[in-house]
Amino acid sequence: MTAPLAQADELTVPELVGAVYAEAPPAERQRLLDQLMRPLGLLSLAGIAGGVFAGFRLRAGAALPAFDDALPFGPADVVALADHAQQVSIESVDALAQMLSGSPLLSTSAAAALLLAVLVRRAARRGGA
């Protein structure tokens, strides 16, 4: 195992998602939030990070708000969101791998590269189990 992946074992996937969110430009933050919120209902969102994501969803109706509205969320809020999304639908978090690999805006992010490696490795382990 390489040193960065060994260090990633000490971090949880939600913590890595929070780190990616902290480094991401606004448009990529919106895509991250969209992917993480997709499997969660309003009641579920109300229980995460003091309900900030439920308010976010309510302001938008069926669609998510413009990415400028996503900026007030801190990495800790996104860690909580990713943790809950992972419990509801691990596939929704694993799908971040496709988003990360196709994003030129995140291609220079060490956190994104580490998250991508962890997600790919996790999917491979699940596929072989």
Side-chain angles (χ1 to χ4, degrees), residues 5 9 13 15 26 29 33 37 49 61 68 78 82 92-93 109 116:
L5 284 179
D9 286 340
V13 168
E15 289 170 331
R29 286 181 173 197
L33 291 176
M37 290 174 64
D68 290 340
V78 176
S92 69
V93 177
S109 166
L116 179 60

Side-chain angles (χ1 to χ4, degrees), residues 39-129:
L40 304 176
L42 198 54
L43 184 58
S44 188
L45 290 171
I48 303 167
V52 295
F53 294 106
F56 184 62
R57 169 87 44 90
L58 283 172
R59 282 194 309 274
L64 288 175
F67 62 81
D68 290 340
D69 293 340
L71 295 178
F73 302 121
D77 298 327
V78 176
V79 168
L81 177 64
D83 184 51
H84 193 74
Q86 182 171 256
Q87 292 173 36
V88 171
S89 169
I90 199 162
E91 293 82 13
S92 69
V93 177
D94 286 350
L96 291 174
Q98 184 176 7
M99 186 198 104
L100 294 171
S101 63
S103 173
L105 296 174
L106 291 174
S107 64
T108 59
S109 166
L114 192 54
L115 176 58
L116 179 60
V118 168
L119 291 174
V120 167
R121 186 175 67 173
R122 180 171 80 174
R125 272 192 300 217
R126 256 198 338 269

Side-chain angles (χ1 to χ4, degrees), residues 28-44:
E28 295 301 316
R29 286 181 173 197
Q30 174 64 32
R31 291 180 62 206
L32 270 169
L33 291 176
D34 181 34
Q35 181 64 38
L36 294 171
M37 290 174 64
R38 187 170 291 137
L40 304 176
L42 198 54
L43 184 58
S44 188

